[in-house]
Amino acid sequence: MNVSIIVIGDELLIGQVTDTNSGFLARTMRPAGWTVVDVDVVPDDNSRIRNAVLEALDRAEVVLTTGGLGPTKDDITKQALMDVFGGELYRDAEVEANVREVVGKRGIRLNTLTADQALVPTSCSVIQNRLGTAPIMVFSKGTKTLVAMPGVPFETRGMFTAEVFPMLLRRYAPDVALRSDVIQAIDITESDLAIRLSSWEESLPSYMHLAYLPQPGLIRLRLDGSHADRAALDAMMDRCREELITLVGDNLFADKDMTPAACLIELLAARGLKVATAESCTGGSVSAAITSVPGASAVMQGAVVSYSNDVKTGVLGVDPLIIETEGAVSAPVVEQMAAGVARLCGADCAIATSGVAGPGGGTPDKPVGTVWMCVLTPAGSHSWCCRFPGDRARIVDRTVMTTLIRLCMAVKKL
C-alpha cells in the first residue's frame, strides 16, 4: 500500500518546529508492508494545501495530513479539504461533547474558538480525538482515502496507533502475509558487515530482503518478507533469522528490536540487579534514557549529575588529588564516580561519564569529543576513552549509547 504524507504549517518551513510525525507514521506502517512514497511539507496556504492534496491523491491510495486543524485563523486545512472533497461545515454534537470532555479534564475554560472545533465538513466521517480538541477527519474519493490529523505529535501518535491505522488496515486488508525481524550488531562497520553477509544475502529468496539501518554505536539489520502463504513465510523467516544471527556471531548485541536502555533493563531484571548513574558531560541523559523505558523502576536506583568537581568529590567521594593530577576527564575519576554512585544508591551496577562535550573546553591532550566512561558490575569495573566527532548533542548521544551498550555486554557475562 502506497501512502503520501502532507505535513502542514508555516512553523515547519521556518524551522521553528521540527516535523517528527512523518517519521513516526512511516515507522508504524512499515511492518505492515505500507510504503511512504513521499513527504510534502506545505505552508498554511489554501491553494498550496489543496494542490498538495490533489497531487498526493494521484500518487497514493492513502494520504495522511498532519497540522492546520487548530482553532486559530492560520489553521485553514479544514477549508482547503472542503475545496477538494466538497461539503459544508456543521456542528457535530459528538465532537462538541468530546471537546468539552477534553477541556474539562485539563481544567481550563472552554472558549468560543475551541468550541468551534466541533464544526466539521459534511463530506467526512469523524474519529473522535480523545487526546485533543481537533477531530480527526476521514475523506474518501473513489478508492482513495485521506485522513486529516492534528499536528501535535502526542495526539497524532496516540490516535494513529489506537484508531486511525487499525481503521485503514481494515479498509485496505493486505492480500499477502508480511513479517519483519530485527537483530542488532555492534563493534563492526556497516561495510565490513555487508561483506560478511554478502553471499548469504544473495542467497535470500526473492520475497525476502535485508535492510541495513546504522545508527551511532550499532547497526540494526531488518529482515523483511512477504508471501501469500503465512506458514511458508514463517518457516523461511525463522530459518534465515537463525542463519543471520550465526553469521553476525560475536558482534550480536540483541536478537530483537529494542533500545539499549530497554535491553539493559531486561538483563538487569532477569538477574535481580540494580543500576545507578554518575554523569558529568552527559548531564543526566543516561539516566533519562533508562527511566524513559516502562519498567525502569524495577532496576533503576538513582543518579547523580556531578557536573562540578565539588560534587564529584563531596558527594561521590572522588579523591581531589586525582582530579588535580589526572584531570576530571580521566580513567581513575570515572572509576571512582561509578563506585561512589553504586555505594551511595545501593546499586550493583553503575555507569559513569566525564568528558569534553564542547564547543569549548578542549585541550591538545583532551580535545572536544574526548569522553572517559566506566561501567561497573559485581564482576568489577571497566573504563575506556573515546573521541567522538560532532557537536555537543551528538557527543552526548554517542556517550549515552556507548555506555548503555557496554553495560549490557558486561551484564550478559555475569
Side-chain angles (χ1 to χ4, degrees):
M1 181 62 61
N2 289 334
V3 182
S4 182
I5 298 176
I6 302 172
V7 185
I8 301 167
D10 293 337
E11 66 277 9
L12 296 158
L13 292 168
I14 64 175
Q16 189 176 40
V17 174
T18 300
D19 166 43
T20 59
N21 285 330
S22 60
F24 166 79
L25 295 171
R27 288 191 299 274
T28 302
M29 294 183 289
R30 183 65 187 84
W34 290 40
T35 302
V36 175
V37 295
D38 55 29
V39 177
D40 194 5
V41 182
V42 298
D44 294 302
D45 178 88
N46 189 291
S47 63
R48 293 285 296 277
I49 296 170
R50 184 175 64 251
N51 291 339
V53 167
L54 291 171
E55 292 171 4
L57 288 169
D58 285 338
R59 291 189 296 265
E61 289 81 8
V62 173
V63 178
L64 303 176
T65 74
T66 67
L69 299 180
T72 56
K73 291 182 179 180
D74 60 335
D75 292 308
I76 58 174
T77 298
K78 198 180 296 184
Q79 181 58 55
L81 293 175
M82 285 195 297
D83 291 345
V84 175
F85 295 96
E88 56 187 21
L89 293 177
Y90 78 102
R91 190 171 295 276
D92 187 301
E94 291 185 11
V95 174
E96 184 169 19
N98 182 70
V99 169
R100 291 185 180 279
E101 181 179 349
V102 170
V103 170
K105 287 179 178 178
R106 295 176 181 176
I108 57 178
R109 181 179 62 86
L110 178 65
N111 57 41
T112 56
L113 284 179
T114 303
D116 283 348
Q117 292 283 60
L119 295 172
V120 298
T122 55
S123 52
C124 77
S125 59
V126 172
I127 295 175
Q128 300 297 340
N129 180 3
R130 305 302 180 186
L131 303 176
T133 60
I136 296 166
M137 299 177 294
V138 182
F139 297 85
S140 297
K141 193 170 189 177
T143 60
K144 307 293 183 78
T145 299
L146 181 145
V147 183
M149 296 177 288
V152 180
F154 166 72
E155 298 177 24
T156 298
R157 295 179 184 189
M159 292 306 302
F160 188 78
T161 302
E163 300 281 352
V164 175
F165 197 37
M167 177 273 294
L168 291 172
L169 287 172
R170 291 191 298 271
R171 185 171 292 193
Y172 300 96
D175 55 3
V176 296
L178 304 165
R179 177 169 155 181
S180 292
D181 289 353
V182 173
I183 73 165
Q184 301 182 65
I186 58 172
D187 297 335
I188 188 171
T189 65
E190 183 181 5
S191 56
D192 282 340
L193 187 57
I195 291 171
R196 183 187 299 180
L197 301 178
S198 176
S199 297
W200 175 84
E201 193 173 351
E202 290 174 1
S203 71
L204 287 173
S206 59
Y207 56 86
M208 293 178 63
H209 171 72
L210 182 68
Y212 294 78
L213 307 169
Q215 60 187 93
L218 61 81
I219 301 170
R220 295 170 64 245
L221 295 168
R222 191 188 69 232
L223 186 63
D224 296 323
S226 62
H227 198 281
D229 186 331
R230 163 60 71 181
L233 175 63
D234 284 341
M236 182 59 73
M237 286 285 290
D238 288 343
R239 191 187 99 186
C240 291
R241 178 179 178 275
E242 292 306 312
E243 291 174 350
L244 183 56
I245 290 172
T246 300
L247 287 168
V248 171
D250 291 340
N251 296 110
L252 181 69
F253 172 67
D255 61 2
K256 54 187 172 181
D257 197 11
M258 62 194 313
T259 65
C263 182
L264 178 62
I265 290 170
E266 183 177 280
L267 290 167
L268 292 172
R271 292 160 174 79
L273 300 174
K274 306 291 186 179
V275 67
T277 67
E279 305 181 55
S280 185
C281 63
T282 48
S285 295
V286 178
S287 61
I290 297 171
T291 56
S292 68
V293 179
S297 59
V299 302
M300 184 65 178
Q301 286 291 88
V304 174
V305 178
S306 52
Y307 215 68
S308 74
N309 289 341
D310 287 342
V311 176
K312 290 181 179 69
T313 58
V315 176
L316 296 176
V318 176
D319 187 344
L321 182 59
I322 290 179
I323 294 179
E324 183 179 340
T325 56
E326 301 287 339
V329 182
S330 63
V333 167
V334 291
E335 290 166 3
Q336 291 192 11
M337 288 170 63
V341 79
R343 181 177 60 253
L344 187 67
C345 295
D348 311 285
C349 302
I351 290 173
T353 66
S354 185
V356 186
T363 66
D365 291 338
K366 298 175 182 178
V368 170
T370 302
V371 183
W372 273 96
M373 294 158 274
C374 179
V375 296
L376 178 147
T377 72
S381 65
H382 169 63
S383 61
W384 72 101
C385 180
C386 290
R387 289 187 175 177
F388 295 124
D391 60 12
R392 187 179 183 88
R394 182 175 175 82
I395 291 166
V396 170
D397 288 344
R398 288 294 302 270
T399 304
V400 172
M401 181 75 77
T402 301
T403 53
L404 290 171
I405 289 173
R406 292 303 157 208
L407 184 53
C408 284
M409 300 308 288
V411 172
K412 286 180 181 181
K413 295 176 181 178
L414 294 177

